[in-house]
């Protein structure tokens, strides 16, 4: 059933309120917040590659506070075990049964801090839950519930003692972005309020967790013209055949872009996707899924450059509303 004009208006208003609420703590970064909220409502996850002290933890807590959900933080280190993330089954002698004790992954918003510092074995503990929302321990599946989002961070410097995320792991992040440093005016404003070290406490719940699930469900009903979907596929195909690419975007990446574009369109008060929605999200959704040829990378070519080049080369179609 197509999304009505009233539903689209309601969604856009709720989306704006979510962004504005988080902006109380993360000042001056509305575009990044829009991307993170888009990932949340698209039932996806976010990878933040940024320097220390840019507000990544505050962002995760603010998102959780906004949706009246739970949040947890996992500090990834080389000695972190998979059971430290997922939880463990312990035998209760008094009851004579094995009981599952949930790990920190069981939260609405999970901050996986410096995810690339953990061993590949521990990183792999996230693969199932990020894809299916289920943790399997000793052959028993445990649902983490909804909404559920992982916000993982990695530091672009200090690569000693880190483990690069494998392609399968990167592919599970809907969006990769960064907060970056604030502009001078915003920085001065933050400095004036330096006595407030708990900025996430400024954010109060404005929507119930159940309503977030309803909003996510509504995005699946957004109309996409076949011509627009063909345009999206041509962009994805372009990443696979580009001369500077070793590995292009997977089918999972194409599906992620389609889901995100629906949410993005609805956040603008439209019940249909336009080529502009696809273009605006192409870099944050696709670039981190591309492996650039080492020689091309050495010559200065980046995945962002490749996606932007493809967007120039692929002609967008004329589109129509539902």
């Amino acid at each position: 059933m197509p999304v009505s004009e009233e539903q689209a208006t309601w969604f856009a208003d709720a989306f704006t309120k979510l962004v504005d609420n988080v902006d109380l703590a993360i000042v001056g970064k509305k575009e990044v917040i829009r991307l993170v909220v888009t990932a949340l409502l698209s039932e996806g996850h976010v990878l933040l590659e940024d320097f220390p002290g840019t507000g990544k933890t505050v962002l995760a807590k603010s998102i959780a506070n906004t949706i009246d959900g739970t949040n947890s933080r996992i500090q990834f280190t080389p000695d972190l075990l998979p059971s430290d993330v997922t939880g463990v089954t312990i035998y209760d002698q008094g009851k004579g049964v094995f009981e599952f004790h949930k790990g920190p992954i069981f939260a609405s918003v999970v901050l996986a801090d410096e995810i690339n510092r953990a061993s590949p074995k521990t990183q792999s503990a996230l693969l199932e839950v990020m894809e299916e929302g289920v943790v399997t321990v000793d052959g028993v599946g445990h649902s983490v519930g909804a909404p559920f989002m992982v916000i993982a961070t990695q530091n672009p410097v200090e690569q000693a003692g880190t483990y690069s995320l494998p392609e399968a792991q990167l592919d599970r992040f809907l969006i990769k972005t960064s907060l970056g440093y604030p502009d001078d005016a915003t920085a001065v404003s933050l400095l004036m309020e330096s006595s407030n070290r708990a900025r996430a406490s400024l954010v109060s719940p404005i929507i119930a967790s159940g309503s977030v699930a309803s909003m996510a469900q509504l995005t699946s009903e957004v109309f996409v013209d076949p011509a627009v979907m063909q345009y999206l596929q041509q962009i994805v195909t372009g990443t696979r055949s580009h001369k500077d690419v070793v590995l292009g975007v997977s089918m999972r990446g194409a599906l992620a872009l389609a889901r995100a574009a629906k949410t993005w369109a609805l956040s603008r008060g439209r019940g249909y996707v336009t080529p502009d929605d696809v273009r605006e999200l192409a870099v944050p959704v696709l670039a981190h899924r591309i492996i650039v040829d080492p020689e091309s990378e050495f010559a200065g070519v980046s995945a962002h450059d490749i996606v932007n080049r493809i967007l120039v080369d692929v002609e967008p179609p004329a589109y129509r509303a539902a």
Side-chain angles (χ1 to χ4, degrees):
M1 184 176 178
V3 178
S4 67
E5 186 175 342
E6 292 77 12
Q7 287 176 314
T9 301
W10 168 80
F11 186 100
D13 182 61
F15 188 97
T16 300
K17 289 179 179 178
L18 288 172
V19 173
D20 290 343
N21 202 51
V22 177
D23 187 56
L24 294 173
I26 306 293
V27 183
K29 298 293 180 181
K30 281 196 174 183
E31 283 307 307
V32 177
I33 297 172
R34 282 182 60 84
L35 288 174
V36 175
V37 174
T38 296
L40 173 68
L41 298 178
S42 303
E43 299 180 325
H45 311 284
V46 177
L47 177 61
L48 296 175
E49 185 173 84
D50 223 330
F51 301 107
T54 52
K56 301 182 292 293
T57 303
V58 176
L59 174 61
K61 288 183 177 180
S62 299
I63 292 287
N65 289 349
T66 293
I67 64 173
D68 198 17
T70 56
N71 73 86
S72 65
R73 175 180 176 178
I74 308 172
Q75 186 65 52
F76 280 69
T77 56
D79 60 347
L80 191 74
L81 299 175
S83 58
D84 295 330
V85 175
T86 60
V88 64
T89 301
I90 299 176
Y91 183 71
D92 188 323
Q93 290 185 335
K95 298 179 181 179
V97 295
F98 285 94
E99 289 188 345
F100 176 65
H101 292 251
K102 295 179 179 180
I105 197 65
F106 287 84
S108 303
V109 179
V110 179
L111 175 64
D113 210 5
E114 295 189 290
I115 188 174
N116 56 332
R117 292 200 177 277
S119 68
K121 182 177 182 180
T122 301
Q123 289 180 18
S124 66
L126 293 173
L127 293 177
E128 179 187 27
V129 68
M130 289 177 67
E131 183 70 16
E132 303 173 20
V134 173
V135 172
T136 302
V137 178
D138 296 331
V140 179
H142 306 272
S143 174
V144 295
F148 170 69
M149 180 171 68
V150 173
I151 299 178
T153 72
Q154 61 180 7
N155 194 334
V157 296
E158 297 180 13
Q159 295 303 309
T162 63
Y163 303 85
S164 298
L165 299 184
E167 290 71 37
Q169 182 87 7
L170 287 170
D171 211 22
R172 279 166 169 76
F173 288 101
L174 180 75
I175 283 172
K176 179 182 177 183
T177 186
S178 62
L179 282 165
Y181 294 118
D183 57 47
D184 287 347
T186 302
V188 170
S189 175
L190 292 172
L191 290 170
M192 294 296 292
E193 301 174 7
S194 58
S195 58
N196 184 7
R197 301 184 62 182
R199 294 195 62 83
S201 63
L202 300 173
V203 178
S204 302
I206 63 169
I207 188 172
S209 297
S211 297
V212 173
S214 299
M215 292 179 71
Q217 177 61 36
L218 186 61
T219 63
S220 64
E221 300 172 10
V222 174
F223 173 78
V224 186
D225 190 281
V228 175
M229 202 62 82
Q230 178 64 33
Y231 173 62
L232 186 154
Q233 179 57 33
Q234 287 177 332
I235 294 171
V236 170
T237 302
T239 67
R240 300 169 185 166
S241 58
H242 197 281
K243 63 182 180 64
D244 294 319
V245 172
V246 174
L247 181 67
V249 175
S250 68
M251 195 62 216
R252 182 189 284 121
L255 291 168
L257 181 54
R259 295 202 316 271
K262 290 181 178 182
T263 304
W264 196 257
L266 208 51
S267 74
R268 301 292 176 87
R270 284 185 278 101
Y272 58 92
V273 176
T274 70
D276 285 341
D277 297 322
V278 176
R279 291 174 62 88
E280 290 173 12
L281 290 171
V283 171
V285 175
L286 302 182
H288 65 282
R289 306 171 193 270
I290 296 173
I291 297 180
V292 182
D293 180 79
E295 291 187 6
S296 299
E297 190 172 20
F298 182 76
V301 177
S302 69
H304 288 68
D305 297 331
I306 291 170
V307 175
N308 283 323
R309 184 69 253 175
I310 292 171
L311 291 175
V312 172
D313 293 340
V314 178
E315 184 177 353
Y319 61 90
R320 61 180 177 83

